[in-house]
Amino acid sequence: MRWSGYPINTVKETPAEAEVISHQLMLRAGLVRRLAAGIYTWTPFGLRTLRKVEQIIREEMDRAGALEVLMPAVQPAELWQESGRWEHYGPELLRLKDRHQRDFVIGPTHEEVITDLARRELKSYRQLPANFYQIQVKFRDEIRPRFGVMRGREFIMKDGYSFHISQESLQEGYDLMRDVYIRMFTRMGLEFRSVKADTGSIGGTASEEFQVLADSGEDVIAVSDGVDQYAANLELAPALPPKNPRAAATKPLQKVSTPDRKTIEDVASFLKISAYQTLKLLMVEGGEGGVVALALRGDHDLNAIKAQKLPGVASPLRMASREAVLAATGCEPGFLGPVGLKCPLYADHAAVALADFTCGANEADQHLTGVNWVRDLPEPVPADLRNVIEGDPSPNGTGHLRIRRGIEIGHIFQLGQKYSDAMRATVLDEAGKPVAMYMGCYGIGVTRIVAAAIEQNHDTAGIIWPEPIAPFTVVLISLNATKSEKVRKLSEQLYATLQQVGIDVLLDDRDARPGVKFADSELMGIPHRLVVSDRGIDSGQLEYRHRRATVNAQWPVDEVVNRLLAVHQRGERSSR
RNA sequence: CGGGAUGUAGCUCAGCCUGGUAGAGCACUACGUUCGGGACGUAGGAGUCGGAGGUUCAAAUCCUCUCAUCCCGACCA
């Protein structure tokens, strides 16, 4: 491709709408253009990277024996009514009517459609296992699209679905997909982790997310620094009970006046104690009416996912209303405590381990200090209620947890028979009896990967593409080509040769000043740069520079092609 | 959904408080100079000031409504 024929401008100024670096750079480099909130056009440069990501996915899926299909973006409501998700999916599902007033949706995912295909085509256990995938546009009407293509409403996803005769076979297919994902993301040059995840509303048993580690990520994950390599979504990471036994009581129980000190922070600073010496009490709705109290150490945060799994607690978790709290305790939120409490109580392990702690007195403007379990109130029911924090021991026993942020680029699930039951997708087994197929589901955020790769690979000058997904491998910058016949000739010759040997080369043949070309090539993040100039030709050496390098190398003119082939092969290999 | 903010040239923004002929930089066009790290000069094109209504002799500016976009929040007692 010739840069002179590429009519999309780069921009020096950062567009006001872009907050994260990947979004800023994608707009500045002209990779995408916004059409509406969360909806983007991909320009030729951006599309080249997108296609390379897709191609890696395709190659690895095909190699694993998966079959590519292409399903419709527009789907009839009947299928969604059949699976029950017409009611349950909520406002993220974009619904529309056709001219005959029939209901349709724009697919946010394709479990229904693929299950419909499977029940029509798959009749016998002999046809299993089967694995279908597609790379296709999805639409989810996000509450708040942001960060450019990272959380867009319309986006490209690779979604795959496998069908099995048994749970054992599903497990095998799932394990295979996990390996495939690791290989794909490694090939793309991404630093990522496989992370245990909550199965959430999709249901099913096993589930893992693939997270690209990046500070701008929207997900919080707990990663062990030990040899166990433990990694889990924050929602799921268990907090182990403290090993040391509870200390003995040393202080008397006392009531102190704490006017208007309603938060842990206020109380701690007012009484000149640390937040971890306090206990806070949260009131949530009970599963069958009433309220349930949850006690946490003052410096810890409630984990809603863990709490809503407790017997007697409403799921999904809802905080109790002010009225309900008042009715249960006779006290306003802000001064609640476990002493003399009449409703059911769960206490986090760390709260159970406290001695001589401070908590609300269930009386306006009053707190208790020197509180001790057993002596002042009954031993509580212990539970894991909190989010893990930096430095907690790893649940697998070695090392400690670090809290990192991640961008979810892939998610694999075992769906089991949820959809095949609802939609009667059965095959006959060896005994001739119908069995609902076991399903696996495997997603990858293709467009999001492009943004995630930039979040991980950039500097002040711009993008630094991992070689396998760079829009071009080499940029050939010709200086003063309009005047210099020899520069023009050599540039054209190298351009043709590089294309012949199969290297993606971009020829910067624009009639622009050198500074503009250098700056653009760096903004665009092309891994290898070669400069063709009169100066170079006269000395017999051309300048070469890798995007990550800070100085130029001099390459003899007639070795340029071979050397580029060599560094290119090295670049492709190093990221596998 | 709750809160906050912003809509003025393709982009980044000033002008609004205090109403009186719509601006700058970048980008774009032409010409000239320049030519190895985002050049300079001259000339030029380009905006129904998000939209509608109102107040006024007069509205980008004041008021009302509306649309769009962005940010924060939607456990923390």
Side-chain angles (χ1 to χ4, degrees), chain A residues 11 15 17-18 23-34:
Chain A
V11 291
E17 72 199 54
H23 190 193
Q24 293 171 1
L25 291 175
M26 288 180 82
L27 290 173
R28 286 187 51 205
L31 270 39
V32 293
R33 292 290 183 236
R34 194 185 73 92

Side-chain angles (χ1 to χ4, degrees), chain A residues 381-452:
Chain A
V381 180
D384 179 9
L385 294 176
R386 68 178 176 94
N387 287 333
V388 294
I389 57 174
E390 185 93 14
D392 275 343
S394 165
N396 280 9
T398 67
H400 292 83
L401 295 178
R402 299 272 164 265
I403 306 300
R404 302 285 301 270
R405 299 192 79 88
I407 301 165
E408 182 187 344
I409 55 168
H411 201 158
I412 58 177
F413 294 93
Q414 293 187 21
L415 296 174
Q417 295 166 301
K418 174 172 171 162
Y419 293 92
S420 48
D421 271 340
M423 297 178 63
R424 290 194 294 281
T426 60
V427 293
L428 297 183
D429 66 9
E430 283 177 281
K433 283 191 6 203
V435 177
M437 289 181 279
Y438 290 78
M439 288 174 60
C441 164
Y442 318 96
I444 293 179
V446 180
T447 33
R448 183 180 283 181
I449 282 177
V450 177

Side-chain angles (χ1 to χ4, degrees), chain A residues 128-270:
Chain A
L128 302 184
N131 190 336
F132 301 105
Y133 77 97
Q134 67 174 345
I135 296 173
Q136 188 246 13
V137 170
K138 302 270 186 278
F139 192 94
R140 293 182 187 171
D141 202 354
E142 296 279 347
I143 304 176
R144 199 177 142 201
R146 59 182 133 179
F147 303 155
V149 298
M150 195 108 87
R151 178 169 293 281
R153 293 193 293 172
E154 183 175 297
F155 58 99
I156 296 175
M157 183 172 174
K158 188 285 300 186
D159 50 325
Y161 308 89
S162 66
F163 296 87
H164 308 266
I165 189 65
S166 66
Q167 173 62 36
E168 293 69 38
S169 172
L170 169 58
Q171 184 68 45
E172 279 173 31
Y174 178 87
D175 291 342
L176 172 64
M177 278 299 129
R178 182 200 294 114
D179 292 344
V180 168
Y181 272 37
I182 289 169
R183 205 202 321 256
M184 288 191 297
F185 299 143
T186 304
R187 270 186 71 180
M188 291 173 199
L190 300 170
E191 191 198 351
F192 66 97
R193 292 292 167 87
S194 147
V195 166
K196 294 185 199 319
D198 188 62
T199 48
S201 57
I202 296 193
T205 46
S207 166
E208 275 169 77
E209 289 170 358
F210 291 82
Q211 296 270 359
V212 160
L213 301 179
D215 292 338
S216 58
E218 294 186 276
D219 295 332
V220 182
I221 55 183
V223 186
S224 171
D225 60 6
V227 294
D228 56 1
Q229 290 281 307
Y230 180 85
N233 197 301
L234 185 71
E235 294 171 341
L236 214 68
L240 300 180
K243 286 197 182 117
N244 298 333
R246 181 193 296 155
T250 62
K251 293 182 182 162
L253 180 65
Q254 273 188 318
K255 188 183 286 187
V256 295
S257 173
T258 51
D260 253 1
R261 302 317 197 272
K262 291 190 174 186
T263 67
I264 291 294
E265 207 171 275
D266 288 348
V267 171
S269 66
F270 181 70

Side-chain angles (χ1 to χ4, degrees), chain A residues 478-503:
Chain A
S478 67
L479 296 185
N480 196 31
T482 43
K483 290 221 181 107
S484 169
E485 172 72 24
K486 55 188 176 185
V487 166
R488 196 160 59 238
K489 250 176 117 171
L490 182 59
S491 301
E492 291 293 338
Q493 186 194 321
L494 281 171
Y495 179 54
T497 308
L498 288 170
Q499 283 182 320
Q500 273 165 29
V501 299
I503 287 184

